[in-house]
Amino acid sequence: MTDIAQLTVALNAALDPVAGKRATARIEGDRASIILDVTGLDEPARDAIERDVQAAAAGVAGIATVRVALTSQRTRRLLIAVASGKGGVGKSTVSANLAIGLQALGRRVGLVDADIYGPSQPTLMGVQGSRPTAKDKVLEPVSTPYGVPLLSMGQLVAPDQAIAWRGPMAAGALGQLVDADWAAQDTLVIDLPPGTGDVQLSMIQKHRPAGAVIVSTPQDLALIDARRAIDLFTKAGVPIIGLVENMAGYICPHCGEVSDPFGRGGAEAAAAELGIEFLGRIPLDMAIRSASDAGVPPASGNGVESLAFSGIAQRVFHWIEQGG
Ligand SMILES: Nc1ncnc2c1ncn2[C@@H]1O[C@H](COP(=O)(O)OP(=O)(O)OP(=O)(O)O)[C@@H](O)[C@H]1O
Ligand SMILES: [Mg+2]
């Protein structure tokens, strides 16, 4: 048997218990170079398999030195972008509650706050002041009380520091958040800044979201902006999962009467007209605002405020399960 054949046999024996792990080996003189695929293994498992492979190769006659290089394929996560044309329409509120709702339905969800100009997820998820750690320059998401780990642009800069990043810096920061150590999370909900700027473009071009959820108020003006956001994703080939109408129907905290300060049904009509799905309507409700400010997203409880959010999460979940 040639040296390389012997080495292959030895490597296969070492790799046998770890299903699906592959190594490629090369021999030059008495040196063996091995590239070992450790996709999906945690650190102790990687160390163990590296040691086994090293030992197996060193045991082959004629080999004096062994070099093992580890590679891992990036796990493909499903990214869901939450966008709007206009600011202040409730993207961050929808993102936080959607992440929690999808998690409750069985997805393993991480939340990315990509809003450099007004990061709000640390507040919404009740982890203000938290800072992620980094290992080998890869960020480790912060855990939240709701089981959905979080990374926010707001955690990368001091809260009182005005953020005046140029486009490339913002894009770089977004990359760090998306390519962080999300471990077992299979779905990332991305809370985008308002509008159609650099962060959105970088999101679309570099990170290819599986789909986008568009948030709008019932106002016509907001809908015109929403159409711009829809256009941006559609032209880039990113499917629109659907439209959420937020702040529809004001529930009076005193008498419970429902009125419509911003009109009603505008987003649903627009969705029908544009041929995209209507994901649901969230009322303008003081209880939603106060719970959000207090870091307790309504979707984490089972009050009436959670109902609108759970309906939306179910529709998005269904979309994902249907294959996107
Ligand atoms: N349905 C609702 N009822 C009551 N208050 C709401 C509702 N939706 C959002 N809000 C409140 O409105 C404000 C803006 O919401 P949010 O931060 O989610 O919007 P946004 O689109 O992410 O804003 P920005 O463009 O600044 O990122 C927050 O104070 C939030 O608590
Ligand atoms: Mg926001």
Side-chain angles (χ1 to χ4, degrees):
M1 225 176 358
T2 61
D3 289 352
I4 192 77
Q6 283 181 44
L7 179 59
T8 307
V9 169
L11 290 179
N12 284 343
L15 291 170
D16 193 42
V18 190
K21 294 298 148 234
R22 284 186 311 271
T24 31
R26 212 159 40 102
I27 296 181
E28 274 170 85
D30 60 1
R31 271 173 80 95
S33 305
I34 297 157
I35 299 173
L36 184 60
D37 180 358
V38 290
T39 303
L41 297 183
D42 62 12
E43 208 173 295
R46 283 179 191 198
D47 290 349
I49 195 174
E50 184 181 359
R51 263 198 316 274
D52 290 352
V53 163
Q54 178 89 32
V60 172
I63 290 178
T65 42
V66 181
R67 255 192 62 225
V68 181
L70 305 184
T71 66
S72 91
Q73 279 148 27
R74 236 174 71 185
T75 323
R76 200 61 201 120
R77 292 194 176 81
L78 191 95
L79 305 190
I80 295 183
V82 179
S84 75
K86 224 179 112 193
V89 298
K91 283 176 302 303
S92 300
T93 308
V94 167
S95 302
N97 288 285
L98 177 61
I100 292 170
L102 289 174
Q103 174 103 341
L105 291 167
R107 305 288 308 182
R108 285 177 295 189
V109 187
L111 182 57
V112 172
D113 181 1
D115 194 345
I116 41 171
Y117 307 108
S120 41
Q121 292 303 346
T123 305
L124 285 170
M125 297 295 280
V127 288
Q128 244 172 329
S130 59
R131 286 275 179 274
T133 51
K135 205 157 66 189
D136 298 333
K137 293 191 179 149
V138 177
L139 290 174
E140 304 271 328
V142 163
S143 33
T144 69
Y146 311 107
V148 171
L150 165 71
L151 276 177
S152 168
M153 293 279 194
Q155 294 163 330
L156 304 183
V157 287
D160 54 352
Q161 223 171 45
I163 306 177
W165 283 349
R166 286 170 300 111
M169 282 173 75
L174 176 66
Q176 284 201 29
L177 301 186
V178 172
D179 295 333
D181 182 9
W182 288 105
Q185 294 345 91
D186 55 32
T187 309
L188 294 185
V189 173
I190 321 263
D191 177 14
L192 289 173
T196 51
D198 293 314
V199 173
Q200 285 79 353
L201 284 177
S202 159
M203 179 75 226
I204 288 170
Q205 289 162 358
K206 288 214 195 106
H207 306 290
R208 300 297 314 163
V213 169
I214 309 291
V215 182
S216 173
T217 65
Q219 287 164 291
D220 284 343
L221 186 66
L223 285 173
I224 291 166
D225 290 310
R227 279 168 214 248
R228 236 173 259 143
I230 291 170
D231 223 39
L232 177 82
F233 286 100
T234 309
K235 284 206 175 109
V238 175
I240 303 294
I241 302 173
L243 192 64
V244 171
E245 184 174 62
N246 188 27
M247 306 188 187
Y250 174 63
I251 300 179
C252 172
H254 305 295
C255 66
E257 194 200 343
V258 181
S259 53
D260 296 306
F262 299 128
R264 184 190 167 88
E268 187 166 10
E273 192 188 309
L274 293 163
I276 62 179
E277 196 179 340
F278 182 65
L279 295 172
R281 177 176 289 129
I282 303 162
L284 180 66
D285 184 347
M286 279 296 285
I288 294 179
R289 201 186 67 87
S290 51
S292 302
D293 286 351
V296 185
S300 67
N302 43 22
V304 280
E305 303 81 38
S306 71
L307 292 176
F309 292 108
S310 61
I312 291 165
Q314 269 158 23
R315 281 180 203 102
V316 175
F317 180 76
H318 189 66
W319 183 90
I320 296 171
E321 296 293 306
Q322 301 256 297

